[in-house]
Amino acid sequence: MKLSGKVAFRDLEGGVWVLEADDGQIYELAGDRRIQKHGKRIEVEGDVNSQGVGIAMVGPVLSVRRYRFL
Amino acid sequence: MPVYESLAKCSVHLLVAAALAAGCCAKSKVGPSKGASSDDPDARVPGAIVVDFKDGTTKEEFDAWEKEWGVDLEFNSIEGPVDGVTIAVGVKDVDQVLEKIRKHPAVEAAEPLMSLQASFVPNDPEYPKQWNLRQIHMPKAWEMSRGSGVIVAVIDTGIAYEDYQEFRRVPDLKGIKFAKGYDFVNDDEHPNDDHGHGTHVAGTIAQATNNGEGVAGIAFEATLMPIKVLNQFGMGVSSDIADAIRFATDHGAKVINMSLGGGGYSRVIENAIKYARKKGVTVVCAAGNSGLGRVSYPAAYDGAVAVSAVGPDGKRAPYSSFGKELDIAAPGGDKRSGPEGGILQNTIDRRNPARSVYEYYQGTSMAAPHVSGVAALLYARGARGPEEVERALFEGASPVGDKDWSEEYGHGLLNAEASLKLVGKGPVPVDWAPLLIGAGLLAFVLLTLKTRQRMGYLNILFSPGFFIPLVLATVGVFFARWAFGGASGVSGEIVNGVSLPIPDWGRIIFGRGKMASPIFYSALIPLVASLIAIRAKGLRDVVAGLGMGFAGFLAYAAWAKAPPLAYMPFTFLALPWLLVNALVCMFIARAMLRKEAAR
């Protein structure tokens, strides 16, 4: 799955990183920590982990395979 | 912030007069309280008054006056002859008598006697920053229970509970009891926290309290069971969660806290929650942080208590999810007006698990452990199972707005003090309203019939064939609940189930869900019964009673903002559904009653 959007830090549960996708969906970002740059626009390739649970509870967990800052 | 005096450890409940408390407090070791005042009817001691005469008034003097007032006054204590404070019990009309007494020139003050309950104010230095604990009335609740002997499992990122390898126990968990847990991420018996979330959550439930260090927790005499299912990024897989729930249940937990969510519907987790509940465990889950009207899993499963989050103002925090599966609201923090709006607990630094920090977090994860902590207090106070705990939580919750239930707050805002007062008070009081509405609607139905077609109102109402199904459909076998109410386990569930009003029997089949079944909350059962009655004419009055009972029940459900109905896409559809079906029930009953009369 390919998505574009904005990386954002949210002050929830001690801090979570999300992708605010251009289609309006919020994903919790899992994977490479170097992706954690607040406010950066990004294009990511990855999969939604349907078994994924976590502390964030903001939306589906997106396991990032590849990404590119725009 | 209310001003508390320094008496932190008074554990006795003393009776003193509110207005005189200021003068008596220093002598009588009573923690101050903003609770009781003369306009708080709950605090009144029934039939008791206190009269303060002018200093130096003698017993002979007021013995002479009291005959006219019809009371028997005695000095309150050996201080009486000095300060003139007297009390009387067994007063019939307190307000009227007081009015008379106040007119006497020697009386300085006369009031109902108030029961002042002591408050427990912990000495933890950061306690004043914990607005959340005062919001749920902890100072009074701690006087009643501190969670002793109850195991609370925290299924999360682990807890900083022991010194092991590179991990350190955080200082403000020193002295807290821990049960053996498990680490499902690394498959070992050391569920230490390498994230920070789980330790924060555990702190809300049972931070070491009144230890002169850090902050306070709710059930600080309870035993924590650390279970790690989430990794250092706060993520995990749903299969581990199901295992963790069963582990906690099989190892003696009475409460399970799950401040986590995500993934879709999972039959495996739902079954694990059902298993826990059947074994007498209360499962508490965070509603989610999407800010949308959709409760996330596992909170949305039947059998889980779903908790939304409020800020210091008691309003739903903008991030908190809500929806028709929601059960209750609790403080989760709202940092929009500064970090102090968050929930402060002791946890570990995310960058260094060995370093202790005190941090303000916000999230529905912070709200859920408030409910879990109070559930532990309820068990320690004698609650017998999840049914009774949930009833106490929901009935004790402070209503938000004018609704008994709402999508944003469930049954209202968690209130530890009020919930604890409901424990051990026996089974649910019977709600007679549906029966009365059913009986009232019967009068209306009869009026729509021609005089020759109808029988007398009381003749119908009190014929056993009509009255018994009317009672079964509106209040159920209420006396069975008095005898067996609160029992846990399978037998308890069946007794509780069949003793319910017939429309709630759906819960026996579909489980004790959060939502009522629209199949049972409809005219279907009276309709089927009426088809049978076409052949068996003797059943007419039975079906009429059933129909009127259902009409009363459904009308009451509609009026009382009934539980949301399952399978309905929008909650607002519940109201017209209930009303239309109530009308159909009345119509069926009317047809039955008319034929009966025409015979």
Side-chain angles (χ1 to χ4, degrees):
Chain A
M1 184 161 79
K2 243 182 174 171
L3 289 161
S4 57
K6 201 170 75 178
V7 176
F9 174 81
R10 290 204 177 169
D11 183 8
L12 283 169
E13 314 290 347
V16 295
W17 288 90
V18 302
L19 174 71
E20 299 172 358
D22 291 341
D23 61 4
Q25 176 73 50
I26 309 290
Y27 295 91
E28 183 185 1
L29 287 171
D32 201 325
R33 277 190 170 196
R34 285 170 295 182
I35 202 171
Q36 296 176 353
K37 296 208 162 57
H38 181 69
K40 286 267 189 173
R41 280 200 59 77
I42 197 169
E43 200 176 78
V44 300
E45 224 183 295
D47 299 302
V48 167
N49 183 354
S50 63
Q51 288 281 299
V53 291
I55 58 161
M57 299 176 270
V58 288
V61 174
L62 181 70
S63 300
V64 177
R65 265 185 283 119
R66 269 194 290 275
Y67 65 90
R68 187 167 66 90
F69 286 111
L70 300 175
Chain B
M1 186 191 307
V3 180
Y4 293 99
E5 282 174 24
S6 58
L7 285 166
K9 269 202 161 179
C10 41
S11 58
V12 282
H13 299 186
L14 292 173
L15 293 175
V16 291
L20 307 166
C24 303
C25 261
K27 284 174 271 179
S28 61
K29 269 202 161 182
V30 168
S33 154
K34 55 174 187 167
S37 69
S38 51
D39 51 11
D40 180 3
D42 284 347
R44 281 190 181 198
V45 179
I49 59 169
V50 56
V51 181
D52 184 11
F53 291 103
K54 287 197 168 125
D55 294 356
T57 303
T58 64
K59 183 166 165 47
E60 290 70 34
E61 283 176 298
F62 63 73
D63 273 352
W65 305 327
E66 70 186 14
K67 289 191 189 79
E68 188 194 326
W69 302 327
V71 297
D72 182 15
L73 288 162
E74 294 294 340
F75 279 127
N76 182 48
S77 69
I78 53 162
E79 295 288 318
V82 183
D83 62 16
V85 176
T86 64
I87 58 168
V89 293
V91 181
K92 285 206 186 79
D93 190 338
V94 168
D95 288 317
Q96 207 185 336
V97 167
L98 286 174
E99 209 164 295
K100 268 195 261 174
I101 294 176
R102 283 193 197 109
K103 287 184 184 135
H104 198 280
V107 171
E108 287 181 341
E111 307 198 328
L113 187 66
M114 294 290 167
S115 157
L116 269 200
Q117 203 182 14
S119 293
F120 175 84
V121 182
N123 64 11
D124 306 67
E126 307 295 324
Y127 170 72
K129 295 175 181 166
Q130 293 182 286
W131 56 268
N132 46 311
L133 297 182
R134 289 180 292 278
Q135 189 180 59
I136 63 166
H137 302 253
M138 281 315 301
K140 294 273 170 63
W142 278 319
E143 287 293 337
M144 291 182 264
S145 176
R146 292 162 192 187
S148 183
V150 178
I151 299 180
V152 184
V154 179
I155 298 180
D156 212 290
T157 59
I159 302 177
Y161 75 107
E162 61 170 356
D163 293 337
Y164 174 74
Q165 293 179 354
E166 74 266 37
F167 301 106
R168 294 287 164 270
R169 185 199 60 216
V170 291
D172 212 6
L173 283 177
K174 187 185 175 185
I176 295 298
K177 291 189 272 299
F178 286 92
K180 200 162 126 180
Y182 196 77
D183 180 345
F184 285 93
V185 177
N186 303 300
D187 278 319
D188 63 38
E189 293 188 345
H190 296 280
N192 289 288
D193 190 1
D194 52 6
H195 180 279
H197 188 264
T199 304
H200 197 284
V201 166
T204 301
I205 297 169
Q207 203 84 73
T209 299
N210 211 37
N211 59 340
E213 155 98 35
V215 288
I218 291 167
F220 54 89
E221 287 179 5
T223 302
L224 290 170
M225 180 190 284
I227 300 183
K228 183 170 174 65
V229 295
L230 304 175
N231 62 18
Q232 58 182 313
F233 306 111
M235 291 182 197
V237 288
S238 48
S239 51
D240 279 349
I241 306 225
D243 284 344
I245 294 169
R246 286 175 188 270
F247 177 94
T249 303
D250 294 342
H251 288 78
K254 292 302 284 178
V255 184
I256 293 178
N257 186 88
M258 286 195 282
S259 289
L260 49 80
Y265 168 81
S266 153
R267 173 67 61 84
V268 181
I269 295 184
E270 184 174 43
N271 286 342
I273 291 175
K274 277 192 180 146
Y275 173 78
R277 206 171 187 288
K278 273 217 169 92
K279 292 260 180 170
V281 181
T282 297
V283 182
V284 181
C285 301
N289 297 324
S290 71
L292 304 172
R294 203 172 54 215
V295 174
S296 65
Y297 293 111
Y301 293 121
D302 283 351
V305 177
V307 187
S308 67
V310 300
D313 59 355
K315 298 270 187 319
R316 181 179 65 87
Y319 59 76
S320 176
S321 304
F322 55 98
K324 59 183 179 177
E325 296 93 352
L326 197 79
D327 291 305
I328 194 165
D334 183 353
K335 289 159 98 172
R336 279 178 301 173
S337 51
E340 306 78 30
I343 306 296
L344 183 65
Q345 302 293 164
N346 189 196
T347 185
I348 54 165
D349 186 345
R350 276 202 172 185
R351 286 148 295 186
N352 176 6
R355 188 170 166 261
S356 157
V357 290
Y358 286 87
E359 266 187 59
Y360 287 104
Y361 275 28
Q362 64 174 353
T364 50
S365 289
M366 280 67 250
H370 284 82
V371 176
S372 294
V374 174
L377 301 182
L378 293 167
Y379 277 114
R381 179 88 167 161
R384 287 168 293 181
E387 296 255 338
E388 192 176 349
V389 166
E390 282 167 29
R391 199 185 83 222
L393 286 171
F394 302 162
E395 280 182 28
S398 312
V400 180
D402 59 350
K403 289 180 183 167
D404 286 343
W405 182 91
S406 68
E407 287 199 327
E408 284 183 279
Y409 304 96
H411 293 89
L413 179 56
L414 179 67
N415 181 334
E417 182 195 2
S419 290
L420 279 165
K421 283 182 176 164
L422 294 170
V423 173
K425 283 239 172 129
V428 195
V430 179
D431 192 347
W432 298 104
L435 180 61
L436 296 177
I437 294 175
L441 289 175
L442 172 66
F444 173 77
V445 166
L446 289 179
L447 285 175
T448 65
L449 291 168
K450 292 189 185 118
T451 320
R452 270 182 302 147
Q453 291 176 323
R454 69 178 182 228
M455 297 199 303
Y457 176 74
L458 293 176
N459 281 342
I460 296 173
L461 184 62
F462 291 116
S463 70
F466 180 91
F467 192 67
I468 291 170
L470 178 74
V471 168
L472 287 179
T474 49
V475 291
V477 193
F478 53 91
F479 46 86
R481 291 200 294 283
W482 287 343
F484 302 104
S488 57
V490 177
S491 60
E493 266 185 31
I494 290 169
V495 170
N496 282 333
V498 294
S499 72
L500 292 172
I502 295 171
D504 276 328
W505 284 9
R507 290 166 195 257
I508 305 169
I509 301 162
F510 300 113
R512 285 273 316 161
K514 300 174 184 197
M515 286 171 273
S517 159
I519 301 165
F520 279 76
Y521 274 49
S522 77
L524 185 67
I525 291 172
L527 197 64
V528 171
S530 70
L531 295 179
I532 298 166
I534 290 174
R535 289 290 172 96
K537 295 196 191 307
L539 286 177
R540 288 243 158 85
D541 50 349
V542 174
V543 178
L546 201 62
M548 288 319 304
F550 265 75
F553 186 94
L554 298 179
Y556 176 68
W559 176 75
K561 298 259 190 280
L565 300 178
Y567 325 120
M568 288 225 175
F570 303 105
T571 44
F572 68 82
L573 286 176
L575 189 66
W577 174 268
L578 294 172
L579 289 177
V580 166
N581 278 286
L583 280 174
V584 173
C585 289
M586 284 166 67
F587 189 77
I588 293 168
R590 182 179 185 272
M592 292 293 137
L593 289 167
R594 186 176 56 185
K595 290 204 167 178
E596 187 77 6
R599 245 189 337 194

